[in-house]
């Protein structure tokens, strides 16, 4: 076997693996190792012997994917999504062979958006029974859902995305069909795997992962619309995309391409121009690392910080353990070292997290002054003044800040206190104390 082949472990139900193995024959660069499981509890035991023998994993569905991703966070994991194509196939069969209507059926796993889109495409307006979930679910919970509807006489057949649930339902005498991935769905994810592998082995390329999440503002956009937008964005970067949750996508790209669209991590990507999506519709987190695992973990951190700054915000976590948030031209961006050992130790002694302390240290460095007011800190951290006041009081109580003066009040009310924050900036970056105006 060529050393350049991608060693791909494929985890899933027997019928889904049949489809994946057949399509994989088209990809000469992939060598697959199929792993069949019947119950979710078997997954870890079946994956463990192959942990060092595969480069990536492909799972047939959301449940095995969620389990595999948690078991092996350092290994890239992909999955075949249950979308409209597989559902069309099942519905056509049931309508043709058994004359069943949508109202005769119960569904699970699929997103409400996917269901409505399928029904809209075929011109059907009706309510439907659907148990949607994210992450891991036990097959017994799905069985109970379908069984209850069937025993009440409300449905005649269950359509499930979990093979183990189908088998248990059939044992109970309940008609059930399993949605398997279609050939085109499998082909699409295998192409993404090949492209991602090429990015990982490129000598001069660090791995960059961008996590993009829909904001509550984007209710006007369907899941299909956003998925199409993410495809356009990934193509622009010459990268690949994968939907990792109902409202979240991962885009894999090289550092060079990402630096180009962010002006060397100084501004957010112009998503509205590249992908034709409104700025306020998404949050974005960029993570950089020497491995996919490192990049993903940093992208998660960056995304969580972007969400702090509101709709349309982006943040970036570099391989130097520096977080830049938000990515925005005009001086608002703040670079901070989020893994400084001294601040990690200090966070154990004061009631503030190491990340909050790092943000304050970054503000001190950026302003070239250790002096700040409540309102200034609130503006930098994008928090309410009362929250900023609480932080400064906690610093003061622990000897890390002192009140050194008051600003002249321009409006009615009490003068604003000026705090001097000490011992947070790195030693080689401690700014000189500015004279009060």
């Amino acid at each position: 076997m060529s050393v350049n082949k991608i060693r791909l472990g494929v985890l899933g139900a027997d019928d889904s693996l049949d489809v994946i193995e057949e399509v994989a024959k088209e990809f000469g660069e992939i060598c697959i190792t199929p792993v069949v499981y019947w119950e979710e509890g078997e997954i870890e035991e079946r994956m463990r012997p192959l942990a060092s023998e595969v480069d990536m994993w492909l799972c047939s569905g959301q449940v095995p994917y969620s389990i595999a991703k948690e078991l092996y966070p350092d290994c890239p994991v992909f999955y075949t999504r249950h979308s409209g194509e597989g559902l069309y196939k099942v519905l056509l069969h049931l309508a043709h062979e058994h004359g069943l209507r949508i109202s005769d059926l119960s569904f699970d796993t699929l997103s409400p958006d996917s269901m409505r889109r399928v029904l809209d495409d075929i011109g059907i307006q009706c309510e439907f029974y659907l148990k949607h979930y994210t992450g891991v679910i036990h097959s017994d919970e799905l069985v109970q859902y379908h069984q209850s509807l069937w025993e009440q006489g409300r449905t005649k057949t269950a359509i499930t995305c979990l093979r183990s649930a189908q088998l248990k339902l059939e044992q109970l005498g309940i008609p059930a069909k399993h949605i398997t991935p279609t050939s085109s769905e499998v082909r699409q994810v295998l192409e993404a795997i090949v492209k991602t592998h090429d990015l990982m082995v490129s000598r001069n390329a660090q791995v960059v992962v961008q996590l993009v999440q829909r904001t509550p503002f984007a209710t006007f956009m369907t899941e299909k619309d956003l998925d199409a937008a993410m495809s356009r964005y990934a193509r622009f970067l010459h990268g690949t995309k994968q939907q990792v949750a109902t409202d979240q996508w991962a885009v894999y790209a090289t550092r060079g391409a990402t630096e180009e669209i962010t002006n060397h991590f100084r501004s957010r990507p112009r998503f509205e121009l590249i992908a034709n999506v409104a700025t306020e519709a998404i949050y974005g987190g960029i993570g950089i690392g020497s491995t996919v695992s490192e990049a993903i973990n940093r992208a998660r951190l960056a995304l969580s910080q972007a969400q702090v700054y509101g709709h349309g915000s982006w943040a970036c976590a570099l391989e130097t353990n520096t977080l830049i948030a938000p990515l925005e031209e005009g001086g608002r961006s703040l670079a901070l070292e989020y893994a400084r050992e001294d601040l990690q130790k200090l966070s154990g002694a004061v009631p503030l997290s190491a990340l909050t302390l790092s943000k304050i240290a970054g503000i001190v460095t950026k302003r070239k002054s250790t002096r700040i007011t409540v309102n200034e800190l609130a503006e930098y951290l994008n928090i309410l003044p009362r929250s900023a006041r609480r932080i400064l009081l906690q610093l003061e109580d622990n000897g890390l800040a002192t009140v050194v003066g008051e600003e002249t009040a321009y409006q009615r009310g009490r003068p604003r206190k000026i705090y001097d924050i000490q011992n947070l900036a790195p030693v080689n970056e401690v700014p000189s104390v500015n004279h009060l105006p």
Side-chain angles (χ1 to χ4, degrees):
M1 183 180 70
S2 168
V3 294
N4 294 322
K5 286 214 171 190
I6 303 168
R7 302 177 303 170
L8 182 66
V10 182
L11 173 71
D14 56 339
D15 51 357
S16 296
L17 259 61
D18 288 343
V19 179
I20 295 172
E21 287 187 86
E22 185 63 31
V23 177
K25 293 176 182 177
E26 304 171 15
F27 295 78
E29 61 270 67
I30 296 178
C31 175
I32 73 168
T33 300
V35 180
V36 177
Y37 79 93
W38 300 100
E39 286 284 353
E40 292 67 45
E42 303 171 359
I43 289 178
E44 181 175 6
E45 179 183 351
R46 294 184 181 276
M47 290 182 73
R48 193 184 306 117
L50 298 171
S52 61
E53 298 179 18
V54 301
D55 302 311
M56 298 181 174
W57 284 96
L58 171 60
C59 302
S60 66
Q62 175 180 314
V63 170
Y65 166 77
S66 298
I67 296 173
K69 188 172 64 169
E70 186 173 335
L71 289 174
Y72 298 102
D74 294 333
C75 185
V77 183
F78 293 79
Y79 73 112
T80 55
R81 292 185 56 77
H82 293 110
S83 65
E85 290 186 30
L87 181 58
Y88 280 127
K89 184 171 65 174
V90 172
L91 292 179
L92 181 60
H93 172 82
L94 292 175
H96 185 270
E97 297 295 326
H98 304 285
L100 294 177
R101 301 163 61 89
I102 298 297
S103 56
D104 296 325
L105 310 172
S106 56
F107 304 85
D108 64 47
T109 309
L110 300 161
S111 73
D113 273 357
S114 294
M115 280 293 303
R116 292 190 187 95
R117 187 167 63 248
V118 168
L119 296 181
D120 287 345
D121 285 347
I122 56 182
I124 295 177
Q125 298 292 326
C126 70
E127 297 298 318
F128 48 83
Y129 301 107
L130 170 65
K131 184 175 182 63
H132 174 62
Y133 60 91
T134 57
V136 179
I137 194 170
H138 197 279
S139 58
D140 287 344
E141 187 174 340
L142 297 183
V143 170
Q144 291 169 8
Y145 169 74
H146 293 292
Q147 182 181 7
S148 175
L149 290 168
W150 185 77
E151 288 179 344
Q152 294 173 44
R154 297 161 73 181
T155 60
K156 297 178 181 178
T157 298
I159 298 180
T160 179
C161 293
L162 213 56
R163 173 71 159 154
S164 52
Q166 179 204 12
L167 296 175
K168 290 178 180 179
L169 287 165
E170 289 178 341
Q171 288 175 356
L172 293 170
I174 301 172
K177 297 289 289 184
H178 177 219
I179 298 179
T180 58
T182 64
S183 296
S184 62
E185 290 169 337
V186 173
R187 192 171 295 110
Q188 184 179 36
V189 74
L190 289 178
E191 288 171 352
I193 286 171
V194 171
K195 230 176 172 183
T196 303
H197 183 266
D198 290 344
L199 288 172
M200 290 169 57
V201 300
S202 176
R203 284 188 174 181
N204 299 318
Q206 287 179 304
V207 179
V208 176
V209 175
Q210 299 182 32
L211 289 179
V212 179
Q213 182 165 322
R214 170 164 40 181
T215 71
F217 175 82
T219 53
F220 59 89
M221 295 194 70
T222 67
E223 187 178 339
K224 181 181 179 182
D225 291 336
L226 277 170
D227 190 64
M230 294 309 305
S231 294
R232 292 192 293 273
Y233 184 61
R235 284 196 299 270
F236 184 86
L237 292 172
H238 303 289
T240 61
K241 64 92 179 172
Q242 179 191 15
Q243 187 167 0
V244 294
T246 301
D247 288 324
Q248 190 177 105
W249 286 260
V251 175
Y252 303 87
T254 61
R255 180 175 186 135
T258 309
E259 282 186 330
E260 185 175 346
I261 65 165
T262 60
N263 191 21
H264 298 279
F265 309 119
R266 287 195 288 268
S267 59
R268 61 174 176 76
R270 301 301 301 274
F271 211 83
E272 66 278 12
L273 299 180
I274 299 170
N276 194 27
V277 172
T279 300
E280 298 82 3
I282 57 168
Y283 308 105
I286 301 172
I288 300 173
S290 55
T291 67
V292 171
S293 175
E294 284 182 3
I296 288 176
N297 287 336
R298 290 190 175 116
R300 288 178 183 142
L301 172 65
L303 180 62
S304 69
Q305 290 306 300
Q307 291 170 330
V308 170
Y309 289 94
H311 300 166
S313 297
W314 286 68
C316 177
L318 302 175
E319 75 284 3
T320 56
N321 288 336
T322 299
L323 182 68
I324 304 173
L327 295 183
E328 184 175 302
E329 294 178 341
R332 189 180 175 208
S333 297
L334 181 67
L336 59 99
E337 295 181 55
Y338 59 85
R340 278 176 50 189
E341 290 186 12
D342 58 329
L343 297 184
Q344 297 280 357
K345 293 177 181 177
L346 187 59
S347 69
V350 300
L352 293 170
S353 69
L355 187 56
T356 297
L357 293 171
S358 297
K359 287 183 178 181
I360 297 170
I363 293 168
V364 169
T365 301
K366 183 180 181 65
R367 287 167 53 87
K368 296 183 173 60
S369 171
T370 57
R371 298 188 172 184
I372 196 167
T373 67
V374 166
N375 282 9
E376 287 169 340
L377 181 63
E379 183 179 351
Y380 272 100
L381 295 180
N382 196 41
I383 58 178
L384 293 173
R386 65 171 177 267
S387 299
R389 183 176 293 106
R390 184 171 60 250
I391 289 173
L392 287 169
L393 288 174
Q394 288 170 332
L395 292 175
E396 184 182 11
D397 290 343
N398 287 274
L400 296 172
T402 56
V403 177
V404 294
E406 293 181 341
E407 273 190 334
T408 302
Y410 294 101
Q411 298 177 348
R412 296 174 62 183
R414 290 181 296 176
R416 296 171 180 171
K417 292 180 179 179
I418 299 173
Y419 289 82
D420 186 32
I421 300 174
Q422 302 158 3
N423 303 322
L424 291 184
V427 174
N428 62 341
E429 293 185 13
V430 174
S432 59
V433 176
N434 288 356
H435 294 290
L436 289 175

